[in-house]
Amino acid sequence: MYFRSSSVEIKSPREIEAMREVGRLAADTLTRVGRFIRPGITTEQINEFVHQDTLKKGARPAPLNYRGAGGDRPFPKSVCTSVNEVVCHGIPGPYVLKEGDIINVDITHIYKGFHGDTSATFYVGRNHAPEAIRVTEVARRCLQIGIEQVRPGARLGDIGAAIQAFAESQGCSVVRDFVGHGIGRKFHDEPKVSHVGERGKGLRLRPGMTFTIEPMINSGSWEVEILDDDWTAVTADGSLSAQFEHTVLVTETGVEVLTRRSEPLENSEIFEDYFAVAQ
C-alpha cells in the first residue's frame, strides 16, 4: 500500500524496510566489486562477477534486458561499466582495464519486488593523472553535498543547485541529459532528480519518498553523445567523466542512505582528505 504526492510514491513502513533490504544487498555487491577491480581484467569479467554475486543473494540484476533510454534495444548485460570518457550506460565487453583508467560500476538489484540502485567510480591501478583524480573526487563530493540537502520541506531544486555550485567551483561541469529518479517497485519512477537547478524550486520533499541522487561530473563540457549501440553515453569533447550514486529515503528528520556501505570501497575511497590537501 502506498500513497502518492504529485505522482510520487510515499512508501509505507513495510515498503521502506524492503527498500532497506535491497539497498544493503546492492551496496554489498558494489563493495565486492571494489576488491575485484585491477588492471588486466575485462569489463565483461566485471559483468560476470556482478551477475553471479547478485544471483547468490537471491536477487536479480535489473539492467539485464531492461528497455529504457535505449529505445527498442534492451540493455544486454547485468551491470553498467563506464570507463574514462564514458558518462553512463557503458556496456561490458572485451575492453581490458589499464593502469590509470577510471571506471564507474552501476549496480541495481531487484529483490522481493523492490529495486536498490548504487554506483561508484573506481581507480584502476595506482598511477592516475591529476585530471582523473580531480573529476572523481569532485563527483564523490557532489553526491555527498546532494544528500546533505535532503530533508522534509526541502525542494528538489536545492539538490541540483548545491551540486552544480560545487562542481563548477572546481572547474568541472554537471551532465544535464541524465538525472536521478524515483525508485521502488519500479526501476525508474517519479520524481526526476536533476543535478543542476535553483534553490527553492521544484517538488517539495516529504517523508517516505525514495529516489536516487547520481551526479555525473565531467572534467570538460557537460555535453554528451550517444553511441550507435543506443546506450553508451560519452562526453562530447572526450574529457573524463565520473559518477557516484546512492538510493535515499526522506525521513521525518532528514535523510537515510539506503545503499550505504558497511566498509570503505577498495580502489575508490583512497584520497580521504583530497579537498583539504587541494586547498
Side-chain angles (χ1 to χ4, degrees):
M1 179 74 178
Y2 60 81
F3 303 95
R4 287 186 177 268
S5 174
S6 301
S7 77
V8 177
E9 286 189 3
I10 303 299
K11 303 294 191 304
S12 70
R14 181 176 294 181
E15 290 172 320
I16 289 170
E17 187 53 43
M19 292 289 291
R20 289 189 179 112
E21 194 170 14
V22 68
R24 286 192 294 267
L25 295 180
D28 182 71
T29 296
L30 188 63
T31 299
R32 292 172 184 273
V33 166
R35 303 170 192 157
F36 186 69
I37 297 293
R38 61 185 181 274
I41 66 169
T42 66
T43 53
E44 177 57 35
Q45 286 177 287
I46 296 172
N47 177 72
E48 292 170 1
F49 179 89
V50 169
H51 184 85
Q52 293 303 321
D53 192 73
T54 304
L55 296 182
K56 286 177 184 176
K57 290 175 164 63
R60 292 186 292 116
L64 184 61
N65 296 319
Y66 179 75
R67 293 179 183 272
D72 292 333
R73 294 195 197 185
F75 192 81
K77 301 292 181 175
S78 296
V79 66
C80 299
T81 53
S82 302
V83 182
N84 295 334
E85 76 281 1
V86 179
V87 175
C88 62
H89 303 157
I91 299 174
Y95 180 83
V96 178
L97 295 184
K98 303 187 301 295
E99 179 81 21
D101 283 344
I102 56 174
I103 178 172
N104 175 270
V105 180
D106 192 344
I107 288 169
T108 308
H109 286 353
I110 308 172
Y111 185 73
K112 296 181 180 178
F114 287 85
H115 293 75
D117 193 0
T118 187
S119 84
T121 296
F122 297 92
Y123 296 103
V124 181
R126 286 292 177 264
N127 298 308
H128 294 86
E131 179 189 9
I133 298 172
R134 177 173 62 95
V135 72
T136 301
E137 296 309 313
V138 169
R140 190 193 313 277
R141 181 65 184 134
C142 280
L143 174 58
Q144 296 169 346
I145 288 170
I147 292 171
E148 289 167 2
Q149 312 311 306
V150 179
R151 62 184 67 87
R155 300 279 189 173
L156 277 180
D158 300 345
I159 299 171
I163 290 171
Q164 182 179 7
F166 180 75
E168 292 179 354
S169 77
Q170 301 298 310
C172 294
S173 63
V174 184
V175 172
R176 270 75 159 165
D177 300 66
F178 302 98
V179 298
H181 52 87
I183 187 169
R185 293 187 185 275
K186 292 182 179 180
F187 191 170
H188 296 97
D189 205 352
E190 294 296 326
K192 295 179 175 64
V193 183
S194 176
H195 303 113
V196 299
E198 295 182 49
R199 286 196 173 274
K201 302 288 188 181
L203 180 74
R204 191 178 298 278
L205 303 183
R206 291 181 54 197
M209 292 180 176
T210 56
F211 51 84
T212 70
I213 303 175
E214 47 184 299
M216 301 166 203
I217 306 300
N218 296 348
S219 62
S221 168
W222 61 264
E223 286 95 347
V224 305
E225 297 176 351
I226 308 299
L227 300 186
D228 290 343
D229 61 23
D230 290 340
W231 281 103
T232 306
V234 299
T235 56
D237 59 6
S239 63
L240 294 176
S241 186
Q243 179 195 15
F244 290 84
E245 175 185 15
H246 273 308
T247 298
V248 302
L249 163 71
V250 184
T251 68
E252 295 290 342
T253 58
V255 62
E256 179 181 342
V257 178
L258 299 175
T259 48
R260 187 177 300 281
R261 298 174 293 274
S262 61
E263 61 185 75
L265 275 180
E266 293 186 26
N267 295 304
S268 181
E269 296 175 323
I270 60 177
F271 296 104
E272 292 183 7
D273 299 317
Y274 175 79
F275 289 105
V277 172
Q279 298 302 325

